[in-house]
Amino acid sequence: MSLQSADGTAKLLVWGNYIMDGNFRDESNSRRKFYIEDGWQISYQKQTASSASFSGAKENRILYVREIALCDSAVGNFSLEYPSSDQQRYGAVVDKLVKSMAVANPCK
């Protein structure tokens, strides 16, 4: 799903995928590497066995990415990209998104 702010300056992407090779950590590292190769300067990263978050900047933009491991090798993701001038406004949005995208209960 892709959502855009009314003024067109912020974009939220929400998606799911399956891990094709490796494990959750490999998947997360691969995604972060993709953004680095795209020119993003990653300044924050946190990774556990079942969740990962990272953020960075590129020109006058900020990016925040969150990933959580789901059952059956699935991954839930979101990314929010917005102008650095709106950091205070969208920082609160990121906090709410992270809280709403909690790690799932152990798979059965």
Side-chain angles (χ1 to χ4, degrees):
M1 176 173 42
S2 175
L3 301 170
Q4 196 166 1
S5 62
D7 63 4
T9 62
K11 186 173 186 178
L12 173 66
L13 300 175
V14 182
W15 73 97
N17 63 281
Y18 286 100
I19 298 170
M20 301 308 284
D21 293 313
N23 57 32
F24 177 79
R25 186 173 298 275
D26 297 332
E27 175 77 13
S28 178
N29 289 340
S30 177
R31 187 164 313 281
R32 189 172 58 253
K33 182 181 175 188
F34 167 82
Y35 283 104
I36 290 169
E37 290 173 352
D38 193 40
W40 290 93
Q41 300 296 313
I42 304 301
S43 57
Y44 168 80
Q45 61 185 24
K46 182 178 180 181
Q47 190 174 47
T48 70
S50 58
S51 70
S53 297
F54 61 90
S55 65
K58 179 173 146 180
E59 299 170 4
N60 64 345
R61 309 280 298 163
I62 293 177
L63 170 74
Y64 189 93
V65 177
R66 172 83 168 156
E67 304 165 287
I68 60 168
L70 302 171
C71 296
D72 301 321
S73 297
V75 180
N77 311 270
F78 81 76
S79 69
L80 180 60
E81 184 182 332
Y82 55 92
S84 56
S85 59
D86 289 339
Q87 184 173 12
Q88 186 173 11
R89 175 181 176 194
Y90 285 104
V93 173
V94 166
D95 290 343
K96 289 179 182 179
L97 287 168
V98 168
K99 288 178 184 173
S100 71
M101 196 166 156
V103 175
N105 292 327
C107 299
K108 296 179 181 182

